[in-house]
Amino acid sequence: MAEVRRLPVPREGDWDWQMRAACRGKDTATFYHPENERGPSRVKREIRAKAVCAQCPVVENCLRWALAAREPYGVWGGLSVEEREALIARKPA
């Protein structure tokens, strides 16, 4: 289960960017892996998700949110969980 205590406090307007997201209305299975998905299946799904993100007008907002919230699942802002974790690990505390 996600640790919600560390989530940024929502403010009015914080989520407005989601109304313009390219993923809005798309099947969430494209962005979140099913249990035990590995190997080529996972790579193909993430490529499809990242292709949506590549066309998204709010990809920077999405990534910023995912990094701030330490989103533990799915493709957000064009990056996988592992890619976001690597970014967080490289940033100075």
Side-chain angles (χ1 to χ4, degrees):
M1 176 179 262
E3 178 58 56
V4 296
R5 290 179 294 191
R6 68 174 182 227
L7 292 176
V9 177
R11 296 179 311 253
E12 187 174 336
D14 279 352
W15 292 95
D16 292 348
W17 58 269
Q18 287 189 345
M19 300 302 286
R20 300 184 324 275
C23 62
R24 187 166 176 80
K26 302 248 188 250
D27 184 0
T28 58
T30 301
F31 302 92
Y32 297 93
H33 69 83
E35 195 164 335
N36 297 319
E37 179 189 53
R38 295 200 176 26
S41 297
R42 186 170 187 166
V43 170
K44 287 178 187 175
R45 184 192 46 74
E46 286 185 352
I47 288 171
R48 287 191 308 274
K50 290 176 180 184
V52 174
C53 296
Q55 302 299 315
C56 186
V58 295
V59 69
E60 293 88 7
N61 300 75
C62 182
L63 180 57
R64 202 170 16 255
W65 168 259
L67 293 172
R70 300 225 172 175
E71 179 59 49
Y73 305 105
V75 172
W76 284 72
L79 299 181
S80 68
V81 173
E82 295 79 16
E83 291 165 332
R84 292 192 309 272
E85 287 174 351
L87 263 183
I88 290 168
R90 285 193 303 236
K91 286 186 176 186

